[in-house]
Amino acid sequence: MSPILLLLALILVRARVTARASLHIAAPPDRVLELVSPHDGKLMDWGRSRVSTRLHDALRQVYHLTYENLQSSGTPHRHEAYFRLADQHDRDHVELIREGLEGRSPANELLRISYRLTPETGGTRLAITQHWGPRPLLAQLLARSDLWGGIWRLKTLAETGKPSERVHTLIHAGVAVVTGLLTLAGFALLWRPAIAIMLVGALLVHEFGHLLAYRLMGQGWGKLLFLPFLGAIAVPRLPFRSQGELVFAALMGPGLSTLLAIAIAIPAMLGYALPLALLVLGFVTVGLNLFNLIPVEPLDGGVALRSVLVRLLGPRAKYGLMAVGLIIAAAGLLLHTPIIMAFGAIAIVLNLRSRPLDQGLAPLSRLQIAITVFGYMAMLTAYLTLFDMFMTTTPLN
């Protein structure tokens, strides 16, 4: 039950986040202060993204920040935020407080940023503190890695005049590698090392499907994080703009994985003698993605179901999600499978409290609903067929 309890904690437990980073910058304090202080007309160019600042309320020193990310299609992706300059004294301290969240939940929102500059030999020490609203425990690691990537970009911009994404990319790659190795070690404790390797490999293909979806939508590659004893998650760099994008990204994980499973299954069905390791990889891939298609959140099947029910039932979608969760939990009880019971329970608990099911995204069209249902049923049928085939061809003992 320990992995199940860990999963529940990562998903359901939310806490405010205070992320800190401190770094020596080989530039004078005035130069660093210029980069972190808001002023009317300021434009920060970060390569594929930029932030423009406009004075919104001169009396209260409220600034309107527009974050613009250039997608691969050339179309800009924009989101906005308001910050009040709460403190800037002695040219060594800048504090920004979030404005404009009245009537909105502070969950997952950046609420306050504090910059402190300390002169040092050869430059300046910049310390940044970020205060976030309640975030899932899983998102807290990402908040800290994002902060360290951001402070390194500021360092390179102050020192060379051009921000570098290299360290930012290396930080997220390092997080993926380290958590991947920990996950591999965790699975090796539960099963044979060879099975653990196959499972991590199947997870990697699945999550690459999500990352590829982000790229096809025009975003960057996103961030990959493995969860020891549990699995992995791919996080987009930019917010989704529609339920269509959300569903496409969710189903691309199991969708891409079908290609791997089919590539292994076809020669096996034609009678070719495949290495045992390859058959096990196919079996693990099918089992992992079949499980991921269970229609309960946070699994991909549940994400797709939520988007469809929100379009069909509106605010009453929560009752549909709870009903499905109850069915899944009952199925887990009948099958004596605690993890399926746990996911059914998660679906019920998630919808007991009030939350924005539509997430403020544009709803699915009727055509998109039809495509979603057809794609989901096609993948489910394919995986059930492949599961039966691998069960008869793969020696599991």
Side-chain angles (χ1 to χ4, degrees):
M1 290 292 292
S2 295
I4 297 175
L5 293 176
L6 176 59
L7 177 64
L8 288 171
L10 289 173
I11 296 172
L12 299 180
V13 176
R14 291 174 176 263
R16 290 180 175 268
V17 186
T18 300
R20 295 182 174 89
S22 177
L23 200 64
H24 175 83
I25 299 177
D30 286 348
R31 168 60 175 159
V32 180
L33 182 65
E34 178 187 0
L35 295 177
V36 300
S37 298
H39 58 79
D40 192 33
K42 179 180 178 181
L43 179 63
M44 298 289 289
D45 193 343
W46 301 106
R48 291 187 60 85
S49 64
R50 63 180 183 177
V51 183
S52 57
T53 303
R54 179 175 57 85
L55 183 61
H56 176 72
D57 185 337
L59 182 62
R60 299 181 61 243
Q61 287 292 288
V62 176
Y63 291 87
H64 177 206
L65 276 62
T66 301
Y67 301 85
E68 184 176 281
N69 296 269
L70 189 64
Q71 301 182 98
S72 58
S73 62
T75 304
H77 186 295
R78 294 186 181 92
H79 61 284
E80 303 173 342
Y82 292 87
F83 283 92
R84 174 169 54 88
L85 181 59
D87 191 10
Q88 182 173 346
H89 57 80
D90 298 331
R91 303 182 64 81
D92 66 354
H93 183 212
V94 178
E95 186 168 1
L96 302 172
I97 296 179
R98 185 71 176 272
E99 295 269 321
L101 290 179
E102 294 78 7
R104 292 171 51 188
S105 169
N108 296 308
E109 297 286 356
L110 180 58
L111 304 179
R112 183 185 301 173
I113 313 172
S114 176
Y115 302 96
R116 186 168 294 278
L117 290 71
T118 305
E120 289 186 342
T121 302
T124 307
R125 176 159 294 275
L126 174 63
I128 304 178
T129 303
Q130 292 182 342
H131 300 271
W132 291 81
R135 304 188 79 181
L137 297 181
L138 179 61
Q140 299 196 18
L141 174 61
L142 296 175
R144 289 171 169 83
S145 60
D146 282 337
L147 175 57
W148 277 101
I151 197 172
W152 271 98
R153 287 195 301 183
L154 274 171
K155 173 182 171 68
T156 55
L157 178 60
E159 293 176 349
T160 68
K162 184 177 181 180
S164 173
E165 287 284 342
R166 183 171 178 270
V167 174
H168 191 274
T169 301
L170 288 175
I171 288 173
H172 287 296
V175 169
V177 170
V178 171
T179 56
L181 292 175
L182 290 174
T183 301
L184 179 61
F187 286 148
L189 292 175
L190 300 176
W191 300 288
R192 301 173 187 174
I195 299 297
I197 293 173
M198 299 297 175
L199 187 52
V200 171
L203 283 170
L204 190 59
V205 172
H206 177 97
E207 299 305 329
F208 181 76
H210 296 311
L211 296 174
L212 180 60
Y214 304 150
R215 284 296 293 170
L216 292 175
M217 290 187 297
Q219 294 195 24
W221 278 106
K223 295 165 281 192
L224 177 61
L225 180 67
F226 286 89
L227 310 175
F229 300 105
L230 296 174
I233 183 171
V235 182
R237 291 186 180 272
L238 302 174
F240 295 116
R241 293 172 296 182
S242 67
Q243 296 287 348
E245 287 187 349
L246 179 62
V247 171
F248 175 66
L251 295 185
M252 268 292 286
L256 184 68
S257 296
T258 58
L259 300 181
L260 173 62
I262 291 172
I264 298 173
I266 289 178
M269 288 188 294
L270 293 177
Y272 290 96
L274 296 180
L276 177 60
L278 205 57
L279 290 172
V280 172
L281 176 59
F283 180 80
V284 170
T285 299
V286 170
L288 170 70
N289 286 278
L290 191 56
F291 176 79
N292 209 266
L293 286 173
I294 295 175
V296 290
E297 297 176 88
L299 301 176
D300 294 330
V303 173
L305 175 66
R306 183 188 65 202
S307 294
V308 171
L309 290 184
V310 165
R311 176 65 172 82
L312 297 177
L313 302 179
R316 296 186 297 274
K318 62 181 297 182
Y319 301 111
L321 294 171
M322 292 173 67
V324 173
L326 184 61
I327 294 171
I328 297 300
L333 181 63
L334 292 174
L335 295 172
H336 304 287
T337 310
I339 192 168
I340 293 181
M341 290 175 55
F343 272 94
I346 290 173
I348 296 172
V349 172
L350 280 176
N351 292 286
L352 285 175
R353 57 186 175 85
S354 177
R355 62 183 180 123
L357 292 177
D358 62 359
Q359 300 180 343
L361 303 177
L364 294 172
S365 66
R366 292 182 179 179
L367 176 60
Q368 288 174 327
I369 290 177
I371 293 173
T372 298
V373 173
F374 175 80
Y376 177 85
M377 296 305 298
M379 282 190 289
L380 184 62
T381 302
Y383 276 121
L384 288 172
T385 303
L386 290 166
F387 183 80
D388 182 67
M389 190 280 296
F390 280 114
M391 281 290 290
T392 59
T393 59
T394 305
L396 301 178
N397 298 319

